[in-house]
Amino acid sequence: MAKVVIDPVTRIEGHLKIEVEVENGVVKDAWSSGTMYRGFEQLIQGKDPRDAIRITQRVCGVCNTIHGMSSVFAVDNAFGVTVPDNGRIIRNLIFASDWLADHPLHFYHLAALDYIDIMAVASYAGNDPALLKVKDKIVSLVKANDTYPLTPRYEPDAFVIKDPEVVTTAVSHYLEALEMRKLGHEMLALWGGRAPFFQNVVVGGVGIRPTVARIAEFTWRFEQLASWLENTYVADVVALGTGPLKPIHDLKVGLGVSNFLGYGAFDEKKSGDIKNRFFRSGVIDNLDLKNIKDLDPSKITEDVKYSYYKSASGLKPAVGKTDPDPKKADAYSFIKSPRYDGKPHEGGPLARMLMQQDPGFMELAGKIGVWPSAVARHAARAYETKMLIGQIRVWLDQLAKNINGEVCDDKALPMDAREGMGITDAPRSANGHWVSIDKGKVTNYQIVNASGWNFGPRDDKGVRGPVEEAIVGAPVPDPTNPTNVVRVVRSFDPCLACSVHIIEPTTNEILKFKVT
Amino acid sequence: MGESFKGLSRRDFLKVCGASATILGLSQSYVPQIAQALEGAAAKPPVLWLQGQNCTGCSVSALNSNHPSIAELVLDILSFRYQPNIMAASGDQAIQVIKDTIKNEKGKYVLVWEGAVPDKEDGLFAAFGEENGKPMTADKWITEAADSAAVVIATGTCAAFGGIPRANQAVTGAKGLLFDGTAKGGAYKGTTPVVNVPGCPPNPDWLVGTIVYWLMNKKAPDVDNYGRPKMFYGQTIHDNCERRAAFEAGLYLETWGDPAAIAPAEGGTATQNYCLVKKGCKGPITFSDCPIRRWNSRTSWPIGAHGICIGCTQPEFYAGLAPLYEKVPEVNLFGIQTTADNIAKVLGVAVAIGLGAHLVGNFATGRVGGKGGDK
Ligand code: SF4
Ligand code: SF4
């Protein structure tokens, strides 16, 4: 048996470490550990609750809108405001802009290098001028003997796409995506002030009023991005998922826990109301797609037996505690283990699309094969991008028809004791903030992080978290090239710095990767 | 001059140089000089981009660079040996690249550092990579990587001053590289020059501009008392704010989204957009060129989108500027009906003595919220 440690796992956000045990070329067991702690829950104590909306956005600069939205929902809830329709819709536009920037970033810039042999570009023999330009670029890097940051890399394995035409196209789309995702951030900035980290979403709504001019400026960028996303990003994911990447799916690489959970995203009626969201909230157990249960947030708890916290385990977030002890025995992660009804649940695009069951997605899933996998997660992410594009047009329309409507229910800071919960789905999972305030100050703040649902360690009963479980069974024929492990890890789009280590237990020696 | 630069066509190369001149606020007549500086190097200058207690927001902001674009920066201008969010390599392969660069490119590489550096509990609050089965902490990396670098760019307020993680310094010991808030004495004790490019996150122009300046001149740009390049951080937000006239006229927004305090072009009925100082705007005590440079291809900026400036480029950020939604104590409005003269007097004092010292004094006497980095 070989123990494999990858540290750091790159092309993600954050600091995370994953160890796996490999037996006969297959992963037998896995451990996922977050290796960084700042303490937002501690530093926001005693502060003005309105600050949390700005400060907690910096939990993660990749999913930068998610914490801001969860936080404002929580503080809205505590203040008891009624967000006007235009405030709600502008928040949706800010949030959705980030999703449209984030999903292609994840696919092309974070994940794609695991699926293509980029050096195949050199063998491109066609005469498409755009692709020839890509070829020239890569060849010139090779000639200059400086191919960073595209190498070093794991040796391309059996599943990697090597067809020069497909690879060169993918690389040219990688470069296009770098430009296109900026449009998403420009859209976000038009309504939110800047990206990352919007600045004008406040308790009660937003500070900005809609105007015809702003809607036009937004639409001009949005329609360019939308057509690129549909014709390039979604098309690429579908073509690759049903074609060259299907063998990875057929091997069920990255199956996971088969329990899914979603808080829902994008409010359609009352702000923060999880029953009326464009992407619905709900729970699926044991992949029983016929039986989608309503979400009951009171069933959420967090275990910390294997996490670096000395605070009590199994607490509900509203009364949660965060007291770090980085030297705690047996612990191996700064991430807690969120559980719903005592069980691990996967959150994210696949969870959402399995609950949404849009006919188009079910048809796509039928083509790929209806079971969870790394590839299925990419497919779900692409499909929901398409759904969201359609809905943005609806919101823009609603905004234009009610252009003089109010945007904010601006209430003074309450001085009595109150509590608030703000939960929403994020591009990569389900994210929640719980706040208690008294005398105008935060008395308790707990964040159940989107990636915590997926990347949390074992719970108190020793049950693996979703990513740990998803890695088990992954083929790793060569422990020095654990490509399938990082494929699975990245398919969850982690927003934690991630480190996976590879150790040979017989010698206890960490295998050094050859620099290619 | 050669026909091509490291695989770029002459035309594309000059475009990159032109963009670089723009970002530095230089006229296009500097293009040949920039071209010469870039072409003079035998190979693309190596870059290590390492992260401590960060959120990756600084990296994501850098992806939004336009002049030059991030693809041009990564593939054409610089040799990104290690950048955890875009590089292909993982694990020991990736760590080996850092070690090789430190060893083989001694004195030649640019170290970009993102995130604060914590020193409590043996630095275990931030680690990446392992050595002999032990986590390599940010604390260890900074000394190793910075000592052999040609220059260190502390990108973001976390790296420059400690930033948000510093608000929890009692637990993790988070500090900036050279500064601990406004005080000298950060996590890096060596002698390699460090340029601070704060902002939470920094505008991509500030970071890219600082790097290009260094490539051109092989020295750090002129900086202020907090190590920030004056070309980007030389004036306050308030100095250049589009709502300054409203401030002088005593027109202050009191309720978010109130049409009576918003200009017609922005969906309101007022003569102009009212000043946000009563909502807590930190523009009067924050140094950066946001009002002019704006964000995201110049589409907008926080105050332009009817939000306050939260002071994110300042060494006091965050704990020293909390609460964000209360008026800054330095600005005395003398009631609503103020006169421009009175305002100028009050602000004049604050701005003239460079606010840094002013705020430090106030922390000492407990006047600024009484909690400079207490939590
Ligand atoms: S300075 Fe701000 S954006 Fe940069 S790493 Fe720190 S918290 Fe994130
Ligand atoms: S206080 Fe803020 S909004 Fe008002 S003029 Fe100054 S920078 Fe602008």
Side-chain angles (χ1 to χ4, degrees):
Chain A
M1 199 187 309
K3 198 167 193 184
V4 178
V5 184
I6 308 177
D7 182 356
V9 171
T10 53
R11 281 183 279 126
I12 63 158
E13 190 288 317
H15 298 256
L16 176 92
K17 151 174 161 180
I18 291 177
E19 302 196 15
V20 297
E21 256 174 25
V22 180
E23 195 176 73
N24 302 327
V26 173
V27 174
K28 279 278 167 274
D29 208 347
W31 294 264
S32 152
S33 346
T35 63
M36 193 265 281
Y37 176 82
R38 288 165 295 172
F40 280 81
E41 287 133 322
Q42 290 180 304
L43 70 88
I44 207 72
Q45 304 270 339
K47 298 289 196 297
D48 186 319
R50 296 169 296 186
D51 290 8
I53 303 158
R54 301 278 83 77
I55 298 310
T56 62
Q57 287 187 58
R58 277 76 176 176
V59 167
C60 175
V62 175
C63 44
N64 67 86
T65 50
I66 290 83
H67 290 283
M69 288 299 168
S70 301
S71 185
V72 81
F73 291 151
V75 185
D76 277 351
N77 190 214
F79 277 46
V81 296
T82 310
V83 178
D85 282 345
N86 280 358
R88 171 180 58 78
I89 293 168
I90 290 172
R91 286 180 179 183
N92 281 351
L93 291 172
I94 290 174
F95 200 20
S97 299
D98 195 27
W99 289 47
L100 297 193
D102 196 43
H103 279 2
L105 171 91
H106 174 257
F107 181 69
Y108 290 106
H109 309 124
L110 304 185
L113 293 176
D114 295 338
Y115 296 96
I116 58 172
D117 175 5
I118 197 165
M119 292 306 151
V121 169
S123 316
Y124 174 69
N127 49 20
D128 182 304
L131 298 191
L132 282 171
K133 210 172 168 200
V134 171
K135 179 182 172 180
D136 286 352
K137 176 85 267 165
I138 302 294
V139 169
S140 76
L141 296 177
V142 174
K143 276 200 192 134
N145 201 16
D146 182 351
T147 45
Y148 299 104
L150 305 171
T151 63
R153 55 183 180 149
Y154 291 143
E155 286 295 341
D157 70 358
F159 300 110
V160 156
I161 303 170
K162 299 191 178 79
D163 180 313
E165 173 103 30
V166 178
V167 173
T168 312
T169 308
V171 176
S172 85
H173 292 169
Y174 175 109
L175 295 171
E176 271 176 42
L178 278 176
E179 289 303 303
M180 298 311 293
R181 61 159 288 288
K182 280 195 266 187
L183 285 175
H185 270 192
E186 289 168 21
M187 286 154 53
L188 201 172
L190 276 172
W191 292 112
R194 71 162 165 183
F197 310 135
F198 57 78
Q199 202 109 337
N200 58 1
V201 173
V202 287
V203 190
V206 297
I208 196 167
R209 297 183 65 83
T211 63
V212 175
R214 204 176 288 272
I215 292 174
E217 273 191 87
F218 179 89
T219 306
W220 183 73
R221 290 175 173 81
F222 162 64
E223 290 298 346
Q224 289 175 66
L225 177 57
S227 94
W228 181 85
L229 286 168
E230 289 186 334
N231 298 321
T232 303
Y233 164 57
V234 179
D236 277 355
V237 175
V238 170
L240 296 177
T242 54
L245 299 184
K246 196 165 179 313
I248 309 182
H249 180 73
D250 290 344
L251 272 174
K252 304 201 171 165
V253 172
L255 192 61
V257 291
S258 295
N259 301 328
F260 297 91
L261 151 150
Y263 296 160
F266 304 106
D267 293 324
E268 292 288 35
K269 290 211 171 101
K270 211 172 140 282
S271 181
D273 170 11
I274 62 168
K275 290 222 171 351
N276 285 294
R277 286 184 160 168
F278 174 62
F279 290 134
R280 60 161 295 176
S281 57
V283 178
I284 295 173
D285 281 316
N286 301 316
L287 205 53
D288 181 358
L289 301 184
K290 297 246 147 49
N291 182 18
I292 299 171
K293 295 172 225 166
D294 283 346
L295 177 86
D296 174 3
S298 73
K299 290 187 174 169
I300 299 167
T301 54
E302 286 192 300
D303 282 2
V304 297
K305 183 173 174 192
Y306 294 102
S307 311
Y308 297 119
Y309 300 101
K310 50 191 171 213
S311 16
S313 194
L315 298 178
K316 294 186 178 187
V319 294
K321 294 270 168 290
T322 305
D323 200 354
D325 174 8
K327 294 178 178 167
K328 178 173 150 184
D330 293 335
Y332 63 93
S333 183
F334 278 117
I335 309 164
K336 296 178 184 177
S337 292
R339 290 295 178 262
Y340 181 84
D341 211 6
K343 286 178 298 210
H345 283 73
E346 171 178 344
L350 187 58
R352 283 191 288 274
M353 291 303 99
L354 290 176
M355 272 181 266
Q356 213 69 26
Q357 301 192 3
D358 191 79
F361 179 73
M362 297 320 274
E363 198 192 315
L364 175 63
K367 275 191 212 150
I368 301 178
V370 192
W371 55 85
S373 77
V375 175
R377 285 182 197 101
H378 288 296
R381 198 171 279 119
Y383 193 84
E384 74 174 10
T385 304
K386 213 168 117 171
M387 290 182 72
L388 197 49
I389 286 170
Q391 195 60 17
I392 289 174
R393 297 193 181 108
V394 174
W395 293 326
L396 288 171
D397 216 38
Q398 290 172 348
L399 207 52
K401 287 196 178 114
N402 182 29
I403 202 96
N404 292 320
E406 290 311 313
V407 289
C408 192
D409 176 16
D410 191 347
K411 279 212 165 78
L413 183 63
M415 287 299 142
D416 52 339
R418 294 169 181 223
E419 284 181 1
M421 173 182 83
I423 63 177
T424 174
D425 257 30
R428 41 189 64 68
S429 188
N431 194 64
H433 288 208
W434 282 260
V435 64
S436 306
I437 58 177
D438 195 16
K439 303 188 180 68
K441 302 248 189 288
V442 173
T443 53
N444 196 25
Y445 205 96
Q446 286 295 313
I447 299 171
V448 180
N449 216 311
S451 284
W453 278 107
N454 295 336
F455 283 81
R458 283 154 172 68
D459 59 26
D460 288 10
K461 288 177 283 195
V463 177
R464 286 187 283 258
V467 167
E468 293 179 332
E469 188 61 36
I471 300 169
V472 171
V476 180
D478 171 9
T480 59
N481 280 298
T483 313
N484 279 323
V485 174
V486 291
R487 277 184 186 133
V488 173
V489 169
R490 291 194 182 111
S491 77
F492 284 90
D493 193 1
C495 49
L496 319 143
C498 182
S499 65
V500 184
H501 303 229
I502 309 218
I503 301 174
E504 184 79 61
T506 43
T507 59
N508 247 353
E509 190 195 348
I510 296 178
L511 297 181
K512 299 286 171 209
F513 292 110
K514 278 205 199 74
V515 178
T516 50
Chain B
M1 288 189 195
E3 274 311 291
S4 75
F5 167 76
K6 283 124 204 161
L8 269 191
S9 74
R10 189 76 203 155
R11 206 162 133 222
D12 284 352
F13 175 60
L14 290 176
K15 199 183 96 198
V16 168
C17 297
S20 308
T22 312
I23 211 175
L24 290 171
L26 298 174
S27 94
Q28 292 299 309
S29 62
Y30 279 85
V31 167
Q33 205 179 318
I34 296 174
Q36 209 179 3
L38 293 178
E39 284 178 320
K44 293 188 289 183
V47 175
L48 289 181
W49 183 311
L50 307 185
Q51 300 172 337
Q53 281 177 308
N54 74 320
C55 80
T56 311
C58 294
S59 295
V60 171
S61 186
L63 286 181
N64 289 336
S65 178
N66 283 325
H67 312 293
S69 77
I70 191 72
E72 289 165 332
L73 270 175
V74 170
L75 298 176
D76 301 334
I77 302 180
L78 301 164
S79 174
F80 272 78
R81 303 287 166 96
Y82 188 98
Q83 204 301 337
N85 309 107
I86 58 169
M87 67 193 295
S90 279
D92 294 344
Q93 259 186 354
I95 296 298
Q96 195 57 44
V97 175
I98 310 181
K99 294 192 170 156
D100 289 348
T101 306
I102 292 174
K103 205 169 111 216
N104 305 333
E105 309 282 357
K106 199 170 163 39
K108 283 190 241 155
Y109 63 90
V110 177
L111 173 67
V112 179
W113 185 278
E114 173 179 358
V117 179
D119 63 2
K120 293 255 161 89
E121 301 280 359
D122 306 323
L124 284 172
F125 287 107
F128 58 97
E130 293 196 339
E131 203 166 57
N132 308 320
K134 292 248 165 58
M136 277 290 286
T137 59
D139 202 19
K140 288 191 192 131
W141 278 121
I142 184 61
T143 312
E144 223 181 298
D147 278 351
S148 299
V151 62
V152 181
I153 305 208
T155 189
T157 305
C158 293
F161 308 117
I164 292 173
R166 186 173 169 271
N168 201 26
Q169 193 178 54
V171 175
T172 71
K175 290 188 185 114
L177 298 191
L178 291 190
F179 285 84
D180 177 8
T182 52
K184 289 238 166 79
Y188 179 57
K189 315 274 184 235
T191 54
T192 308
V194 178
V195 186
N196 284 339
V197 182
C200 188
N203 190 305
D205 286 6
W206 303 338
L207 174 67
V208 176
T210 303
I211 297 177
V212 171
Y213 185 96
W214 187 84
L215 292 180
M216 273 179 69
N217 303 291
K218 290 291 180 285
K219 64 173 180 103
D222 197 17
V223 297
D224 71 1
N225 289 341
Y226 293 120
R228 303 177 287 197
K230 285 186 188 158
M231 57 187 175
F232 302 124
Y233 304 89
Q235 287 178 299
T236 65
I237 300 275
H238 191 71
D239 285 336
N240 294 307
C241 181
E242 60 212 24
R243 299 185 188 220
R244 181 63 182 264
F247 174 88
E248 303 292 351
L251 300 170
Y252 309 117
L253 180 134
E254 310 257 1
T255 307
W256 288 120
D258 178 9
I262 292 176
E266 294 285 302
T269 54
T271 49
Q272 56 194 310
N273 288 320
Y274 286 14
C275 165
L276 305 178
V277 72
K278 284 198 154 184
K279 285 299 207 182
C281 183
K282 306 288 178 269
I285 55 166
T286 301
F287 287 78
S288 94
D289 62 10
C290 289
I292 298 158
R293 190 171 299 278
R294 300 159 75 94
W295 283 75
N296 303 97
S297 320
R298 299 180 181 248
T299 45
S300 192
W301 70 295
I303 293 173
H306 308 261
I308 58 165
C309 164
I310 59 172
C312 76
T313 57
Q314 288 300 108
E316 299 88 358
F317 183 75
Y318 151 69
L321 298 181
L324 298 177
Y325 286 93
E326 298 293 339
K327 188 178 72 60
V328 284
E330 279 72 19
V331 182
N332 187 344
L333 299 177
F334 304 111
I336 292 294
Q337 292 306 321
T338 184
T339 65
D341 269 3
N342 278 341
I343 291 297
K345 233 182 275 161
V346 171
L347 280 169
V349 173
V351 175
I353 62 166
L355 268 160
H358 185 66
L359 281 177
V360 174
N362 283 337
F363 288 135
T365 55
R367 275 180 48 219
V368 181
K371 49 183 149 185
D374 57 342
K375 289 276 158 82

